[in-house]
């Protein structure tokens, strides 16, 4: 308990904001290439064997990669309960679409090779495409809406309210800026999946992945730069007066107003510009690597690009996590939407114990499964699950 008293509430809130970012980035870096490969399967494989090569590059590891997705959801639920309640209520249909698409992946992986039928296998290949492309797109659309402010309010009991017609609210999420953010996410993860296939596959599958991934990288770079320019015209959020960083978790106790562009943060904290620079640099180098046929470095640069892009959003918005377009005072921030001091401390202790175990297990799995997947491997195991 002495350590608990030493670690201030403000410090633990920032730590869990950082850890949430780490979990989301970890999900994008690992399960992100699974989604990208799924979106590429119908296009990089022209024969059943070629498509099985693509599937077998991710088949043994995709379930382990989803640990980061589960941890991210659990961290939101435990460390940021208001964020969990508001976001899952407001993005209900979007979350349902993501989960439905993700459910197609295990079913597609397990059922695809159960019948030796071209039509059967083609149908599951397109199901895997949906399972990869739809979540990648929706995650970006959700982030685009967060940057613009989500239309919610909080009543005096802190219950989230979403006034308006249900379908109109859902269609309102599909606005131009959010769709552009969705394009960034989809193109970026397709590029990441292509980099993975270039690294893990051989022959025609790798060559086609390199070609498609190069153009996906160009789209991601242009769309990301365009979103950055557009963001200059989207009002940001700011506190009125000083805000206690160790106060109670009640957003309604702070006064928030719409302010200058989100990009004003780069004037007050110029060091955060490193994030978008890394994002653009990583994607440019990954696209160049795909064009040149480089493998290991291309995958690393793709990961660097994803790290920079996601980090740029979090650093630009800090300390805001989920701003409200209806009532800025209801906006959720790092300082007023966390769990209790004790809860954050206990969670941090748990994270310190279990995160190294997860990282060690993940590293071990990748070491065991090191090496390329070839057509000969697939042909010699024609009765395998994948």
């Amino acid at each position: 308990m002495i350590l608990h008293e030493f670690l201030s509430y403000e410090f633990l809130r920032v730590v869990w904001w950082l850890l949430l970012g780490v979990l989301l980035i970890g999900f994008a870096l690992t399960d992100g290439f699974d989604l990208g490969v799924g979106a590429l399967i119908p296009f990089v494989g022209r024969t059943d064997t070629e498509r099985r090569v693509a599937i077998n590059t991710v088949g043994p590891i995709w379930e382990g990669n989803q640990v980061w997705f589960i941890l991210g959801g659990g961290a939101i639920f435990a460390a940021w309960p208001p964020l969990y309640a508001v976001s899952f209520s407001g993005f209900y249909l979007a979350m349902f679409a993501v989960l439905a698409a993700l459910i197609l992946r295990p079913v597609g992986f397990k059922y695809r090779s159960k019948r030796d039928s071209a039509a059967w296998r083609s149908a599951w290949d397109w199901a895997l495409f949906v399972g990869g492309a739809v979540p990648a797109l929706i995650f970006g659309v959700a982030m685009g809406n967060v940057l613009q402010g989500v239309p919610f309010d909080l009543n005096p009991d802190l219950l989230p309210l979403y006034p308006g017609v249900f379908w109109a609210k859902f269609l309102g999420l599909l606005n131009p800026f959010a769709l552009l953010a969705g394009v960034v996410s989809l193109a970026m993860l397709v590029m990441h999946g292509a980099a993975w296939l270039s690294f893990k596959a051989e022959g025609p599958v790798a060559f086609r992945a390199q070609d498609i991934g190069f153009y996906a990288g160009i789209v991601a770079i242009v769309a990301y730069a365009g979103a950055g320019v557009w963001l200059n015209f989207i009002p940001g959020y700011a506190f009125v007066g000083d805000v206690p960083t160790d106060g109670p978790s009640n957003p309604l106790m702070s006064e928030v107003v719409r302010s200058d562009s989100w990009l004003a943060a780069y004037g007050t904290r110029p060091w955060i510009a490193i994030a978008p620079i890394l994002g653009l640099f990583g994607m440019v180098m990954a696209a160049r690597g795909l064009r040149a046929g480089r493998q290991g470095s291309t995958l690393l640069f793709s990961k660097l690009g994803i790290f920079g892009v996601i980090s740029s959003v979090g650093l630009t918005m800090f300390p805001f996590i989920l701003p409200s377009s209806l009532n800025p005072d209801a906006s959720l921030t790092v300082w007023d939407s966390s769990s209790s001091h004790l809860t954050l401390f206990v969670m941090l202790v748990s994270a310190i114990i279990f995160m190294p175990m997860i990282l060690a297990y993940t590293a071990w799995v990748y070491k065991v499964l090191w090496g390329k997947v070839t057509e000969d491997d697939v042909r010699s195991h024609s009765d395998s699950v994948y």
Side-chain angles (χ1 to χ4, degrees):
M1 294 306 294
I2 296 177
L3 183 60
H4 167 243
E5 295 298 330
F6 176 75
L7 298 178
S8 69
Y9 202 6
E10 175 186 4
F11 175 79
L12 289 174
R13 281 170 162 168
V14 173
V15 166
W16 272 104
W17 174 78
L18 289 171
L19 285 176
L20 178 59
V22 168
L23 295 174
L24 295 179
I25 292 172
F27 168 68
L29 295 183
T30 55
D31 208 41
F33 64 70
D34 295 347
L35 299 177
V37 169
L40 286 168
I41 285 173
F43 309 104
V44 297
R46 295 179 181 173
T47 66
D48 179 66
T49 300
E50 291 176 353
R51 293 186 177 187
R52 288 187 65 208
V53 167
I55 292 172
N56 275 272
T57 64
V58 298
I61 57 176
W62 72 270
E63 289 178 291
N65 291 339
Q66 284 205 143
V67 166
W68 297 97
F69 184 60
I70 297 170
L71 288 175
I76 294 174
F77 174 78
W80 309 99
L83 175 62
Y84 182 89
V86 174
S87 60
F88 276 68
S89 298
F91 296 114
Y92 182 80
L93 281 181
M95 293 290 185
F96 181 84
V98 167
L99 292 177
L102 291 177
I103 288 171
L104 287 176
R105 290 205 299 167
V107 178
F109 284 134
K110 300 300 182 183
Y111 281 12
R112 183 190 184 277
S113 296
K114 295 300 183 183
R115 292 181 57 188
D116 188 14
S117 165
W120 171 270
R121 296 189 173 190
S122 177
W124 286 115
D125 290 338
W126 284 104
L128 290 172
F129 165 80
V130 172
V134 169
L137 177 67
I138 292 179
F139 288 144
V141 170
M143 191 56 62
N145 279 285
V146 169
L147 284 165
Q148 296 175 96
V150 179
F152 74 92
D153 199 354
L154 297 175
N155 71 7
D157 296 321
L158 301 183
L159 294 176
L161 304 174
Y162 282 87
V165 180
F166 183 74
W167 284 104
K169 291 184 291 183
F170 174 72
L171 294 176
L173 299 177
L174 303 177
N175 55 78
F177 180 79
L179 291 174
L180 178 61
V183 170
V184 174
S185 176
L186 176 59
M188 182 173 66
L189 294 186
V190 167
M191 178 191 71
H192 195 40
W196 175 256
L197 286 175
S198 177
F199 180 71
K200 286 289 291 183
E202 287 185 346
V205 173
F207 297 143
R208 294 188 195 113
Q210 289 166 4
D211 288 339
I212 298 173
F214 169 74
Y215 291 108
I218 297 300
V219 171
I221 293 166
V222 173
Y224 180 63
V229 173
W230 195 335
L231 197 61
N232 189 52
F233 303 97
I234 296 178
Y237 290 74
F239 286 111
V240 176
D242 296 330
V243 178
T245 56
D246 58 353
S249 290
N250 185 345
L252 297 179
M253 294 182 65
S254 303
E255 185 178 355
V256 176
V257 295
R258 299 300 294 262
S259 63
D260 296 330
S261 155
W262 279 117
L263 300 187
Y266 292 86
T268 57
R269 292 174 284 136
W271 61 270
I272 67 175
I274 188 64
I277 291 173
L278 288 177
L280 286 171
F281 175 74
M283 290 191 292
V284 168
M285 295 302 295
R288 289 186 60 187
L290 287 165
R291 174 58 84 184
R294 292 188 288 269
Q295 300 174 7
S297 62
T298 298
L299 183 60
L300 292 177
F301 280 125
S302 179
K303 291 178 181 292
L304 178 64
I306 292 174
F307 172 81
V309 169
I310 298 178
S311 297
S312 68
V313 176
L315 291 172
T316 298
M317 293 180 58
F318 184 86
F320 291 89
I321 303 177
L322 189 66
S324 168
S325 59
L326 289 184
N327 178 14
D329 289 345
S331 299
L332 307 182
T333 76
V334 173
W335 312 130
D336 56 24
S337 57
S338 72
S339 291
S340 68
H341 189 183
L342 179 59
T343 299
L344 296 183
F345 172 75
V346 173
M347 289 179 61
L348 180 60
V349 173
S350 300
I352 292 173
I353 295 173
F354 291 107
M355 283 294 290
M357 296 172 59
I358 294 171
L359 291 172
Y361 167 79
T362 301
W364 179 78
V365 168
Y366 277 85
K367 181 179 182 298
V368 170
L369 298 173
W370 191 262
K372 289 185 176 290
V373 178
T374 67
E375 292 189 25
D376 289 339
D377 294 331
V378 171
R379 292 192 187 97
S380 63
H381 298 85
S382 59
D383 58 344
S384 67
V385 173
Y386 306 112

mmCIF file with all atom_site columns, all heavy atoms in Angstrom, residues 7-22:
data_model
loop_
_atom_site.group_PDB
_atom_site.id
_atom_site.type_symbol
_atom_site.label_atom_id
_atom_site.label_alt_id
_atom_site.label_comp_id
_atom_site.label_asym_id
_atom_site.label_entity_id
_atom_site.label_seq_id
_atom_site.pdbx_PDB_ins_code
_atom_site.Cartn_x
_atom_site.Cartn_y
_atom_site.Cartn_z
_atom_site.occupancy
_atom_site.B_iso_or_equiv
_atom_site.pdbx_formal_charge
_atom_site.auth_seq_id
_atom_site.auth_comp_id
_atom_site.auth_asym_id
_atom_site.auth_atom_id
_atom_site.pdbx_PDB_model_num
ATOM 1   N N   . LEU A 1 7  ? 2.372   6.232  -5.955  1.00 0.00 ? 7  LEU A N   1
ATOM 2   C CA  . LEU A 1 7  ? 1.938   6.446  -7.342  1.00 0.00 ? 7  LEU A CA  1
ATOM 3   C C   . LEU A 1 7  ? 0.657   7.279  -7.330  1.00 0.00 ? 7  LEU A C   1
ATOM 4   O O   . LEU A 1 7  ? -0.406  6.802  -6.948  1.00 0.00 ? 7  LEU A O   1
ATOM 5   C CB  . LEU A 1 7  ? 1.694   5.099  -8.032  1.00 0.00 ? 7  LEU A CB  1
ATOM 6   C CG  . LEU A 1 7  ? 2.929   4.177  -8.148  1.00 0.00 ? 7  LEU A CG  1
ATOM 7   C CD1 . LEU A 1 7  ? 2.547   2.870  -8.791  1.00 0.00 ? 7  LEU A CD1 1
ATOM 8   C CD2 . LEU A 1 7  ? 4.028   4.864  -8.950  1.00 0.00 ? 7  LEU A CD2 1
ATOM 9   N N   . SER A 1 8  ? 0.749   8.511  -7.739  1.00 0.00 ? 8  SER A N   1
ATOM 10  C CA  . SER A 1 8  ? -0.387  9.424  -7.668  1.00 0.00 ? 8  SER A CA  1
ATOM 11  C C   . SER A 1 8  ? -1.490  9.024  -8.640  1.00 0.00 ? 8  SER A C   1
ATOM 12  O O   . SER A 1 8  ? -1.261  8.292  -9.613  1.00 0.00 ? 8  SER A O   1
ATOM 13  C CB  . SER A 1 8  ? 0.067   10.852 -7.960  1.00 0.00 ? 8  SER A CB  1
ATOM 14  O OG  . SER A 1 8  ? 0.439   10.984 -9.321  1.00 0.00 ? 8  SER A OG  1
ATOM 15  N N   . TYR A 1 9  ? -2.683  9.527  -8.371  1.00 0.00 ? 9  TYR A N   1
ATOM 16  C CA  . TYR A 1 9  ? -3.839  9.286  -9.245  1.00 0.00 ? 9  TYR A CA  1
ATOM 17  C C   . TYR A 1 9  ? -3.555  9.838  -10.641 1.00 0.00 ? 9  TYR A C   1
ATOM 18  O O   . TYR A 1 9  ? -3.844  9.193  -11.656 1.00 0.00 ? 9  TYR A O   1
ATOM 19  C CB  . TYR A 1 9  ? -5.065  9.963  -8.633  1.00 0.00 ? 9  TYR A CB  1
ATOM 20  C CG  . TYR A 1 9  ? -6.402  9.412  -9.083  1.00 0.00 ? 9  TYR A CG  1
ATOM 21  C CD1 . TYR A 1 9  ? -6.502  8.285  -9.884  1.00 0.00 ? 9  TYR A CD1 1
ATOM 22  C CD2 . TYR A 1 9  ? -7.589  10.035 -8.685  1.00 0.00 ? 9  TYR A CD2 1
ATOM 23  C CE1 . TYR A 1 9  ? -7.731  7.787  -10.274 1.00 0.00 ? 9  TYR A CE1 1
ATOM 24  C CE2 . TYR A 1 9  ? -8.831  9.549  -9.069  1.00 0.00 ? 9  TYR A CE2 1
ATOM 25  C CZ  . TYR A 1 9  ? -8.889  8.426  -9.874  1.00 0.00 ? 9  TYR A CZ  1
ATOM 26  O OH  . TYR A 1 9  ? -10.112 7.942  -10.259 1.00 0.00 ? 9  TYR A OH  1
ATOM 27  N N   . GLU A 1 10 ? -2.983  11.026 -10.711 1.00 0.00 ? 10 GLU A N   1
ATOM 28  C CA  . GLU A 1 10 ? -2.648  11.632 -11.995 1.00 0.00 ? 10 GLU A CA  1
ATOM 29  C C   . GLU A 1 10 ? -1.681  10.745 -12.779 1.00 0.00 ? 10 GLU A C   1
ATOM 30  O O   . GLU A 1 10 ? -1.871  10.498 -13.980 1.00 0.00 ? 10 GLU A O   1
ATOM 31  C CB  . GLU A 1 10 ? -2.010  13.006 -11.769 1.00 0.00 ? 10 GLU A CB  1
ATOM 32  C CG  . GLU A 1 10 ? -1.505  13.666 -13.047 1.00 0.00 ? 10 GLU A CG  1
ATOM 33  C CD  . GLU A 1 10 ? -0.755  14.960 -12.758 1.00 0.00 ? 10 GLU A CD  1
ATOM 34  O OE1 . GLU A 1 10 ? -0.570  15.290 -11.565 1.00 0.00 ? 10 GLU A OE1 1
ATOM 35  O OE2 . GLU A 1 10 ? -0.339  15.619 -13.721 1.00 0.00 ? 10 GLU A OE2 1
ATOM 36  N N   . PHE A 1 11 ? -0.663  10.245 -12.103 1.00 0.00 ? 11 PHE A N   1
ATOM 37  C CA  . PHE A 1 11 ? 0.326   9.392  -12.768 1.00 0.00 ? 11 PHE A CA  1
ATOM 38  C C   . PHE A 1 11 ? -0.319  8.130  -13.312 1.00 0.00 ? 11 PHE A C   1
ATOM 39  O O   . PHE A 1 11 ? -0.066  7.717  -14.459 1.00 0.00 ? 11 PHE A O   1
ATOM 40  C CB  . PHE A 1 11 ? 1.442   9.045  -11.777 1.00 0.00 ? 11 PHE A CB  1
ATOM 41  C CG  . PHE A 1 11 ? 2.446   8.069  -12.314 1.00 0.00 ? 11 PHE A CG  1
ATOM 42  C CD1 . PHE A 1 11 ? 3.442   8.488  -13.183 1.00 0.00 ? 11 PHE A CD1 1
ATOM 43  C CD2 . PHE A 1 11 ? 2.393   6.725  -11.952 1.00 0.00 ? 11 PHE A CD2 1
ATOM 44  C CE1 . PHE A 1 11 ? 4.373   7.582  -13.683 1.00 0.00 ? 11 PHE A CE1 1
ATOM 45  C CE2 . PHE A 1 11 ? 3.314   5.818  -12.441 1.00 0.00 ? 11 PHE A CE2 1
ATOM 46  C CZ  . PHE A 1 11 ? 4.305   6.256  -13.309 1.00 0.00 ? 11 PHE A CZ  1
ATOM 47  N N   . LEU A 1 12 ? -1.166  7.466  -12.503 1.00 0.00 ? 12 LEU A N   1
ATOM 48  C CA  . LEU A 1 12 ? -1.798  6.221  -12.936 1.00 0.00 ? 12 LEU A CA  1
ATOM 49  C C   . LEU A 1 12 ? -2.754  6.456  -14.097 1.00 0.00 ? 12 LEU A C   1
ATOM 50  O O   . LEU A 1 12 ? -2.878  5.611  -14.988 1.00 0.00 ? 12 LEU A O   1
ATOM 51  C CB  . LEU A 1 12 ? -2.538  5.578  -11.765 1.00 0.00 ? 12 LEU A CB  1
ATOM 52  C CG  . LEU A 1 12 ? -1.646  4.974  -10.675 1.00 0.00 ? 12 LEU A CG  1
ATOM 53  C CD1 . LEU A 1 12 ? -2.477  4.493  -9.506  1.00 0.00 ? 12 LEU A CD1 1
ATOM 54  C CD2 . LEU A 1 12 ? -0.800  3.837  -11.234 1.00 0.00 ? 12 LEU A CD2 1
ATOM 55  N N   . ARG A 1 13 ? -3.424  7.594  -14.113 1.00 0.00 ? 13 ARG A N   1
ATOM 56  C CA  . ARG A 1 13 ? -4.301  7.899  -15.243 1.00 0.00 ? 13 ARG A CA  1
ATOM 57  C C   . ARG A 1 13 ? -3.513  8.025  -16.541 1.00 0.00 ? 13 ARG A C   1
ATOM 58  O O   . ARG A 1 13 ? -3.911  7.505  -17.591 1.00 0.00 ? 13 ARG A O   1
ATOM 59  C CB  . ARG A 1 13 ? -5.082  9.189  -14.959 1.00 0.00 ? 13 ARG A CB  1
ATOM 60  C CG  . ARG A 1 13 ? -6.270  8.987  -14.038 1.00 0.00 ? 13 ARG A CG  1
ATOM 61  C CD  . ARG A 1 13 ? -6.862  10.280 -13.578 1.00 0.00 ? 13 ARG A CD  1
ATOM 62  N NE  . ARG A 1 13 ? -8.227  10.101 -13.066 1.00 0.00 ? 13 ARG A NE  1
ATOM 63  C CZ  . ARG A 1 13 ? -8.910  11.011 -12.394 1.00 0.00 ? 13 ARG A CZ  1
ATOM 64  N NH1 . ARG A 1 13 ? -8.351  12.189 -12.117 1.00 0.00 ? 13 ARG A NH1 1
ATOM 65  N NH2 . ARG A 1 13 ? -10.133 10.755 -11.972 1.00 0.00 ? 13 ARG A NH2 1
ATOM 66  N N   . VAL A 1 14 ? -2.381  8.694  -16.478 1.00 0.00 ? 14 VAL A N   1
ATOM 67  C CA  . VAL A 1 14 ? -1.548  8.833  -17.676 1.00 0.00 ? 14 VAL A CA  1
ATOM 68  C C   . VAL A 1 14 ? -0.976  7.481  -18.080 1.00 0.00 ? 14 VAL A C   1
ATOM 69  O O   . VAL A 1 14 ? -0.926  7.143  -19.278 1.00 0.00 ? 14 VAL A O   1
ATOM 70  C CB  . VAL A 1 14 ? -0.416  9.852  -17.432 1.00 0.00 ? 14 VAL A CB  1
ATOM 71  C CG1 . VAL A 1 14 ? 0.548   9.876  -18.607 1.00 0.00 ? 14 VAL A CG1 1
ATOM 72  C CG2 . VAL A 1 14 ? -0.977  11.235 -17.193 1.00 0.00 ? 14 VAL A CG2 1
ATOM 73  N N   . VAL A 1 15 ? -0.552  6.694  -17.092 1.00 0.00 ? 15 VAL A N   1
ATOM 74  C CA  . VAL A 1 15 ? -0.007  5.371  -17.392 1.00 0.00 ? 15 VAL A CA  1
ATOM 75  C C   . VAL A 1 15 ? -1.032  4.512  -18.118 1.00 0.00 ? 15 VAL A C   1
ATOM 76  O O   . VAL A 1 15 ? -0.717  3.846  -19.120 1.00 0.00 ? 15 VAL A O   1
ATOM 77  C CB  . VAL A 1 15 ? 0.472   4.673  -16.099 1.00 0.00 ? 15 VAL A CB  1
ATOM 78  C CG1 . VAL A 1 15 ? 0.705   3.180  -16.345 1.00 0.00 ? 15 VAL A CG1 1
ATOM 79  C CG2 . VAL A 1 15 ? 1.742   5.320  -15.591 1.00 0.00 ? 15 VAL A CG2 1
ATOM 80  N N   . TRP A 1 16 ? -2.295  4.541  -17.653 1.00 0.00 ? 16 TRP A N   1
ATOM 81  C CA  . TRP A 1 16 ? -3.295  3.703  -18.290 1.00 0.00 ? 16 TRP A CA  1
ATOM 82  C C   . TRP A 1 16 ? -3.765  4.274  -19.624 1.00 0.00 ? 16 TRP A C   1
ATOM 83  O O   . TRP A 1 16 ? -4.215  3.525  -20.484 1.00 0.00 ? 16 TRP A O   1
ATOM 84  C CB  . TRP A 1 16 ? -4.460  3.431  -17.339 1.00 0.00 ? 16 TRP A CB  1
ATOM 85  C CG  . TRP A 1 16 ? -4.150  2.222  -16.525 1.00 0.00 ? 16 TRP A CG  1
ATOM 86  C CD1 . TRP A 1 16 ? -3.751  2.176  -15.232 1.00 0.00 ? 16 TRP A CD1 1
ATOM 87  C CD2 . TRP A 1 16 ? -4.129  0.878  -17.004 1.00 0.00 ? 16 TRP A CD2 1
ATOM 88  N NE1 . TRP A 1 16 ? -3.493  0.875  -14.866 1.00 0.00 ? 16 TRP A NE1 1
ATOM 89  C CE2 . TRP A 1 16 ? -3.711  0.060  -15.926 1.00 0.00 ? 16 TRP A CE2 1
ATOM 90  C CE3 . TRP A 1 16 ? -4.416  0.282  -18.222 1.00 0.00 ? 16 TRP A CE3 1
ATOM 91  C CZ2 . TRP A 1 16 ? -3.588  -1.320 -16.055 1.00 0.00 ? 16 TRP A CZ2 1
ATOM 92  C CZ3 . TRP A 1 16 ? -4.279  -1.092 -18.343 1.00 0.00 ? 16 TRP A CZ3 1
ATOM 93  C CH2 . TRP A 1 16 ? -3.882  -1.879 -17.269 1.00 0.00 ? 16 TRP A CH2 1
ATOM 94  N N   . TRP A 1 17 ? -3.641  5.560  -19.800 1.00 0.00 ? 17 TRP A N   1
ATOM 95  C CA  . TRP A 1 17 ? -3.860  6.125  -21.138 1.00 0.00 ? 17 TRP A CA  1
ATOM 96  C C   . TRP A 1 17 ? -2.777  5.612  -22.097 1.00 0.00 ? 17 TRP A C   1
ATOM 97  O O   . TRP A 1 17 ? -3.079  5.214  -23.234 1.00 0.00 ? 17 TRP A O   1
ATOM 98  C CB  . TRP A 1 17 ? -3.823  7.654  -21.058 1.00 0.00 ? 17 TRP A CB  1
ATOM 99  C CG  . TRP A 1 17 ? -3.903  8.337  -22.388 1.00 0.00 ? 17 TRP A CG  1
ATOM 100 C CD1 . TRP A 1 17 ? -5.014  8.544  -23.151 1.00 0.00 ? 17 TRP A CD1 1
ATOM 101 C CD2 . TRP A 1 17 ? -2.804  8.903  -23.117 1.00 0.00 ? 17 TRP A CD2 1
ATOM 102 N NE1 . TRP A 1 17 ? -4.685  9.215  -24.307 1.00 0.00 ? 17 TRP A NE1 1
ATOM 103 C CE2 . TRP A 1 17 ? -3.336  9.440  -24.307 1.00 0.00 ? 17 TRP A CE2 1
ATOM 104 C CE3 . TRP A 1 17 ? -1.434  9.011  -22.868 1.00 0.00 ? 17 TRP A CE3 1
ATOM 105 C CZ2 . TRP A 1 17 ? -2.540  10.083 -25.259 1.00 0.00 ? 17 TRP A CZ2 1
ATOM 106 C CZ3 . TRP A 1 17 ? -0.634  9.647  -23.809 1.00 0.00 ? 17 TRP A CZ3 1
ATOM 107 C CH2 . TRP A 1 17 ? -1.193  10.169 -24.985 1.00 0.00 ? 17 TRP A CH2 1
ATOM 108 N N   . LEU A 1 18 ? -1.532  5.575  -21.631 1.00 0.00 ? 18 LEU A N   1
ATOM 109 C CA  . LEU A 1 18 ? -0.438  5.059  -22.450 1.00 0.00 ? 18 LEU A CA  1
ATOM 110 C C   . LEU A 1 18 ? -0.606  3.564  -22.712 1.00 0.00 ? 18 LEU A C   1
ATOM 111 O O   . LEU A 1 18 ? -0.411  3.092  -23.844 1.00 0.00 ? 18 LEU A O   1
ATOM 112 C CB  . LEU A 1 18 ? 0.899   5.319  -21.761 1.00 0.00 ? 18 LEU A CB  1
ATOM 113 C CG  . LEU A 1 18 ? 1.376   6.775  -21.712 1.00 0.00 ? 18 LEU A CG  1
ATOM 114 C CD1 . LEU A 1 18 ? 2.601   6.895  -20.807 1.00 0.00 ? 18 LEU A CD1 1
ATOM 115 C CD2 . LEU A 1 18 ? 1.694   7.275  -23.115 1.00 0.00 ? 18 LEU A CD2 1
ATOM 116 N N   . LEU A 1 19 ? -0.981  2.809  -21.668 1.00 0.00 ? 19 LEU A N   1
ATOM 117 C CA  . LEU A 1 19 ? -1.140  1.369  -21.838 1.00 0.00 ? 19 LEU A CA  1
ATOM 118 C C   . LEU A 1 19 ? -2.294  1.041  -22.787 1.00 0.00 ? 19 LEU A C   1
ATOM 119 O O   . LEU A 1 19 ? -2.206  0.071  -23.557 1.00 0.00 ? 19 LEU A O   1
ATOM 120 C CB  . LEU A 1 19 ? -1.366  0.700  -20.484 1.00 0.00 ? 19 LEU A CB  1
ATOM 121 C CG  . LEU A 1 19 ? -0.126  0.569  -19.595 1.00 0.00 ? 19 LEU A CG  1
ATOM 122 C CD1 . LEU A 1 19 ? -0.502  -0.025 -18.242 1.00 0.00 ? 19 LEU A CD1 1
ATOM 123 C CD2 . LEU A 1 19 ? 0.935   -0.280 -20.270 1.00 0.00 ? 19 LEU A CD2 1
ATOM 124 N N   . LEU A 1 20 ? -3.351  1.827  -22.729 1.00 0.00 ? 20 LEU A N   1
ATOM 125 C CA  . LEU A 1 20 ? -4.439  1.614  -23.679 1.00 0.00 ? 20 LEU A CA  1
ATOM 126 C C   . LEU A 1 20 ? -3.931  1.819  -25.106 1.00 0.00 ? 20 LEU A C   1
ATOM 127 O O   . LEU A 1 20 ? -4.255  1.043  -26.018 1.00 0.00 ? 20 LEU A O   1
ATOM 128 C CB  . LEU A 1 20 ? -5.597  2.568  -23.384 1.00 0.00 ? 20 LEU A CB  1
ATOM 129 C CG  . LEU A 1 20 ? -6.798  2.488  -24.339 1.00 0.00 ? 20 LEU A CG  1
ATOM 130 C CD1 . LEU A 1 20 ? -7.394  1.085  -24.336 1.00 0.00 ? 20 LEU A CD1 1
ATOM 131 C CD2 . LEU A 1 20 ? -7.862  3.518  -23.957 1.00 0.00 ? 20 LEU A CD2 1
ATOM 132 N N   . GLY A 1 21 ? -3.127  2.854  -25.298 1.00 0.00 ? 21 GLY A N   1
ATOM 133 C CA  . GLY A 1 21 ? -2.534  3.067  -26.611 1.00 0.00 ? 21 GLY A CA  1
ATOM 134 C C   . GLY A 1 21 ? -1.637  1.920  -27.026 1.00 0.00 ? 21 GLY A C   1
ATOM 135 O O   . GLY A 1 21 ? -1.644  1.486  -28.187 1.00 0.00 ? 21 GLY A O   1
ATOM 136 N N   . VAL A 1 22 ? -0.845  1.395  -26.080 1.00 0.00 ? 22 VAL A N   1
ATOM 137 C CA  . VAL A 1 22 ? 0.030   0.262  -26.372 1.00 0.00 ? 22 VAL A CA  1
ATOM 138 C C   . VAL A 1 22 ? -0.780  -0.948 -26.816 1.00 0.00 ? 22 VAL A C   1
ATOM 139 O O   . VAL A 1 22 ? -0.416  -1.650 -27.782 1.00 0.00 ? 22 VAL A O   1
ATOM 140 C CB  . VAL A 1 22 ? 0.884   -0.079 -25.133 1.00 0.00 ? 22 VAL A CB  1
ATOM 141 C CG1 . VAL A 1 22 ? 1.576   -1.433 -25.305 1.00 0.00 ? 22 VAL A CG1 1
ATOM 142 C CG2 . VAL A 1 22 ? 1.916   1.010  -24.885 1.00 0.00 ? 22 VAL A CG2 1
#
